Amino acid sequence: QVKLVESGGGLVQPGGSLRLSCEASGNVRNIYTTSWYRQSPGQQRVLVASVTGGGRTVYADSMQARFTISRDNAKNTAYLQVNSLKPEDTGVYYCNVKTGSGYEYWGQGTQVTVSS
């Protein structure tokens, strides 16, 4: 079992930046991939970026320019740095992990609102 707690969301003006955090606890040794997803109002949840334990990253095509995913294995924490925020970045950002044994876990999400 893995528990995920996201933090760092909030209200930010267009052009601003945020760093989201996802802290994992429990059976963290078995985590293989950590990902961030976004669910904007009225839309499906979509992948933003993923990072493996070895640091290999994958980004959704539209996200690569302004989003940076990273992972601190010593702190069991993953991060998503988002720059030059736009109103369309508004949504709930979820942390997701997949384990080597095929299990998948989700956090409760953190709300990001981009508005002037």
Side-chain angles (χ1 to χ4, degrees):
Q1 188 82 4
V2 175
K3 180 181 178 182
L4 303 173
V5 178
E6 300 102 328
S7 61
L11 174 64
V12 62
Q13 292 187 342
S17 298
L18 279 176
R19 189 175 80 156
L20 308 181
S21 300
C22 171
E23 183 174 3
S25 60
N27 190 16
V28 298
R29 285 193 168 198
N30 207 22
I31 292 175
Y32 177 66
T33 303
T34 303
S35 302
W36 285 96
Y37 286 76
R38 179 177 74 198
Q39 187 163 19
S40 299
Q43 298 185 23
Q44 291 186 332
R45 195 174 298 186
V46 297
L47 175 69
V48 175
S50 296
V51 60
T52 67
R56 185 172 66 90
T57 57
V58 175
Y59 293 89
D61 287 345
S62 61
M63 310 287 187
Q64 190 159 6
R66 299 181 294 112
F67 293 75
T68 303
I69 191 171
S70 61
R71 178 170 158 176
D72 186 333
N73 292 329
K75 295 182 178 180
N76 298 320
T77 301
Y79 305 96
L80 184 69
Q81 176 71 37
V82 191
N83 299 322
S84 302
L85 279 156
K86 304 175 180 181
E88 52 264 42
D89 294 321
T90 294
V92 180
Y93 285 72
Y94 294 92
C95 182
N96 168 281
V97 299
K98 295 179 176 63
T99 69
S101 50
Y103 292 97
E104 185 174 25
Y105 300 92
W106 291 90
Q108 83 289 348
T110 185
Q111 175 71 45
V112 171
T113 302
V114 184
S115 175
S116 55

Coordinates of all heavy atoms in Angstrom, one line a residue, residues 3 7 12 14 20 26 28 30 36 38-41 44 48 51 56 63-65 75 80 92 104 111 114 116:
K3 N 0.6 5.6 0.2 CA -0.3 6.7 0.4 C 0.4 7.9 -0.3 O 1.6 8.1 -0.1 CB -0.5 7.0 1.8 CG -1.4 8.2 2.1 CD -1.6 8.4 3.6 CE -2.4 9.7 3.9 NZ -2.6 10.0 5.3
S7 N 0.5 18.6 -2.4 CA 0.5 20.0 -1.9 C 1.0 21.0 -2.9 O 1.7 20.6 -3.8 CB 1.2 20.0 -0.5 OG 2.6 19.7 -0.7
V12 N -3.1 31.5 -8.5 CA -2.0 32.2 -9.0 C -2.4 33.0 -10.2 O -3.3 32.6 -11.0 CB -0.9 31.2 -9.4 CG1 -1.3 30.2 -10.4 CG2 0.4 31.9 -9.7
P14 N -2.0 34.7 -14.0 CA -1.4 34.2 -15.3 C 0.1 34.7 -15.3 O 0.4 35.9 -15.0 CB -2.3 34.9 -16.3 CG -3.6 35.1 -15.7 CD -3.3 35.4 -14.2
L20 N 4.4 22.0 -7.3 CA 3.5 21.0 -6.6 C 4.4 19.9 -6.1 O 5.4 19.5 -6.7 CB 2.5 20.4 -7.6 CG 1.7 21.4 -8.4 CD1 0.7 20.7 -9.3 CD2 1.0 22.4 -7.4
G26 N 4.5 4.6 3.0 CA 4.1 3.2 2.9 C 5.1 2.4 2.2 O 6.3 2.5 2.4
V28 N 7.0 2.4 -0.3 CA 7.6 3.3 -1.3 C 8.7 2.6 -2.1 O 9.1 3.0 -3.2 CB 8.1 4.6 -0.7 CG1 6.9 5.3 -0.1 CG2 9.2 4.3 0.3
N30 N 8.7 -0.1 -3.7 CA 8.3 -0.7 -4.9 C 7.7 0.2 -5.9 O 7.3 -0.2 -7.0 CB 7.1 -1.7 -4.5 CG 7.0 -2.9 -5.4 OD1 8.0 -3.2 -6.1 ND2 5.9 -3.5 -5.4
W36 N 2.2 12.9 -12.8 CA 1.2 13.9 -12.5 C 0.2 14.0 -13.6 O 0.5 13.9 -14.8 CB 1.9 15.3 -12.4 CG 2.7 15.5 -11.2 CD1 4.0 15.4 -11.0 CD2 2.2 16.0 -9.9 NE1 4.4 15.7 -9.7 CE2 3.3 16.1 -9.0 CE3 0.9 16.3 -9.5 CZ2 3.1 16.5 -7.7 CZ3 0.8 16.7 -8.2 CH2 1.9 16.8 -7.3
R38 N -3.6 16.0 -14.8 CA -4.4 17.2 -14.6 C -5.9 16.9 -15.0 O -6.1 16.3 -16.1 CB -3.9 18.4 -15.3 CG -4.7 19.6 -15.2 CD -4.1 20.8 -15.9 NE -4.2 20.7 -17.3 CZ -3.4 21.4 -18.2 NH1 -2.5 22.2 -17.8 NH2 -3.6 21.3 -19.5
Q39 N -6.8 17.3 -14.2 CA -8.2 17.3 -14.6 C -8.8 18.7 -14.6 O -9.0 19.2 -13.5 CB -9.0 16.3 -13.7 CG -10.4 16.1 -14.2 CD -11.1 14.9 -13.6 OE1 -10.7 14.4 -12.6 NE2 -12.1 14.4 -14.2
S40 N -9.0 19.2 -15.7 CA -9.6 20.6 -15.8 C -11.1 20.5 -15.8 O -11.7 19.4 -16.1 CB -9.1 21.2 -17.1 OG -7.7 21.4 -17.2
P41 N -11.8 21.5 -15.4 CA -13.2 21.5 -15.3 C -13.9 21.0 -16.5 O -13.7 21.5 -17.6 CB -13.6 23.0 -15.0 CG -12.4 23.5 -14.4 CD -11.2 22.9 -15.0
Q44 N -11.6 15.3 -19.1 CA -11.1 14.1 -18.5 C -9.7 14.3 -17.9 O -9.0 15.3 -18.2 CB -10.9 13.0 -19.6 CG -12.3 12.5 -20.1 CD -12.1 11.3 -21.1 OE1 -11.1 11.2 -21.8 NE2 -13.1 10.5 -21.2
V48 N 0.2 14.6 -17.5 CA 1.1 15.8 -17.7 C 2.5 15.3 -17.9 O 3.2 15.7 -18.9 CB 1.0 16.7 -16.4 CG1 2.0 17.9 -16.6 CG2 -0.4 17.3 -16.2
V51 N 7.9 10.3 -14.3 CA 9.4 10.2 -14.0 C 9.6 8.8 -13.4 O 8.8 8.4 -12.5 CB 9.9 11.3 -13.1 CG1 9.2 11.3 -11.8 CG2 11.4 11.2 -12.9
R56 N 14.3 9.0 -15.6 CA 13.8 9.2 -17.0 C 12.5 9.8 -17.0 O 11.6 9.4 -16.2 CB 13.8 7.8 -17.7 CG 13.4 7.9 -19.2 CD 13.6 6.6 -19.9 NE 12.6 5.6 -19.4 CZ 11.4 5.4 -19.9 NH1 11.0 6.2 -20.9 NH2 10.6 4.5 -19.4
M63 N 2.8 19.8 -22.9 CA 3.2 20.2 -21.5 C 4.7 20.4 -21.4 O 5.2 21.0 -20.4 CB 2.8 19.1 -20.5 CG 1.4 18.7 -20.6 SD 0.2 19.9 -20.0 CE -1.3 18.9 -20.0
Q64 N 5.5 20.0 -22.4 CA 6.9 19.9 -22.1 C 7.6 21.3 -21.9 O 8.6 21.4 -21.2 CB 7.6 19.2 -23.3 CG 9.0 18.8 -23.0 CD 9.5 17.7 -23.9 OE1 8.8 17.2 -24.8 NE2 10.7 17.3 -23.7
A65 N 7.1 22.3 -22.5 CA 7.7 23.6 -22.5 C 7.7 24.2 -21.2 O 8.7 24.9 -20.8 CB 7.1 24.5 -23.6
K75 N 13.7 11.7 -0.3 CA 12.6 12.3 0.5 C 11.2 11.6 0.1 O 10.2 12.0 0.6 CB 12.5 13.8 0.2 CG 13.7 14.5 0.7 CD 13.5 16.0 0.4 CE 14.7 16.8 1.0 NZ 14.5 18.3 0.7
L80 N 6.3 18.8 -9.4 CA 6.0 19.3 -10.7 C 6.1 20.9 -10.6 O 5.4 21.5 -10.0 CB 4.6 18.9 -11.1 CG 4.1 19.4 -12.5 CD1 4.9 18.5 -13.5 CD2 2.6 19.2 -12.7
V92 N -7.5 20.3 -11.2 CA -7.0 19.5 -10.1 C -5.8 18.7 -10.6 O -6.0 18.0 -11.6 CB -8.1 18.6 -9.4 CG1 -7.5 17.8 -8.3 CG2 -9.2 19.5 -9.0
E104 N -1.4 0.4 -8.7 CA -1.5 1.9 -9.0 C -2.2 2.6 -7.9 O -3.2 2.1 -7.4 CB -2.2 2.0 -10.3 CG -2.3 3.5 -10.9 CD -2.9 3.5 -12.2 OE1 -3.7 2.6 -12.6 OE2 -2.6 4.5 -13.0
Q111 N -5.7 21.6 -6.0 CA -6.4 22.5 -6.9 C -5.4 23.6 -7.3 O -4.8 24.2 -6.4 CB -7.6 23.1 -6.2 CG -8.3 24.2 -7.1 CD -9.0 23.6 -8.3 OE1 -9.7 22.6 -8.2 NE2 -8.8 24.3 -9.4
V114 N -5.7 29.4 -12.0 CA -4.9 30.5 -12.6 C -5.9 31.6 -13.1 O -6.7 31.4 -14.0 CB -4.1 30.0 -13.8 CG1 -3.3 31.1 -14.4 CG2 -3.3 28.8 -13.4
S116 N -6.7 36.1 -12.9 CA -6.3 37.5 -12.5 C -7.4 38.1 -11.6 O -7.2 39.2 -11.1 CB -6.0 38.3 -13.7 OG -7.1 38.4 -14.6

